[in-house]
Amino acid sequence: MTEPKWYRANRANWDERVGVHIGSGGYDLSDLRAGRGKLNAIEEAELPPVEGKRLAHLQCHFGADSLALAQRGAEVIGLDFSTPAIEAARKLAGELGLANRARFVHADLYEALAAIPPPHEFDMVFVTWGAICWLPDIARWAQTVAALLRPGGSLYIAEGHPTAYVFDDATRSPDGTPGLFAPYFSREPVVDTEGSDYVDPNARLGNATIYNWIHPLGDVVTSLIASGMSLEWLHEHDAVPWRMFKILVKDASDLYRWPDRPWLPLAFSLSAIRG
């Protein structure tokens, strides 16, 4: 079957990002290489202990968070649609001596059930930061998450808030406040050709065109409920782990916040349990 244009563009973009993110201007992997990998402050505050648990990390990129979870005693399967990302993840797992605790599967998110070897009775599905915005069908995503979990298993997701995705620096006002960028309730993809990278501000990507979708928070929650899951809790945050807008300032926990007052939520996180 012919791949859609948006899919080819997004995959080319993420294939290119791998080299940027494991390069000198990319992710700081020093703690991970020292055996004490850290997650972002939001996950560190919310995520329950994972020792002895089976986790599926969807859209795992090159596996840094997957491997941090494996260092905490979890058995992790990471999945991503980028071949270079999965190759880098497997190499890094070998270098860290974690290949027996963290395995990586190359597949599209919607093909996860076919790509991940059974049993699909994971204790947790882990999804974080800039993941679901790349997916056109949030209901199918929720169904995939539920099918991967054992009864009583949980989803943990931490994501950029869809309200924040309505705004963009390209249309910011003279005082630096982000301007309107895309309709909150649009079902059409948002196309961006800027070619910048959220980790390395000096990088300019040759595969610049990307397609994103804004999924209203109500759609995310309702899709999970429709898939047979129940909401345990939902948090909204006035901080986010990357400089989503230039006006944001970095705090002591390495999160980015509004400079004067928390105007709008920048992130959300939730836990949902499979019935």
Side-chain angles (χ1 to χ4, degrees), residues 129-142:
W129 309 122
I132 62 175
C133 61
W134 300 92
L135 304 174
D137 189 340
I138 199 66
R140 190 176 172 194
W141 167 82

Side-chain angles (χ1 to χ4, degrees), residues 176-195:
T177 304
L180 290 175
F181 175 60
Y184 184 78
F185 292 107
S186 175
R187 295 297 185 267
E188 298 300 316
V190 178
V191 183
D192 190 345
T193 59
E194 184 182 2

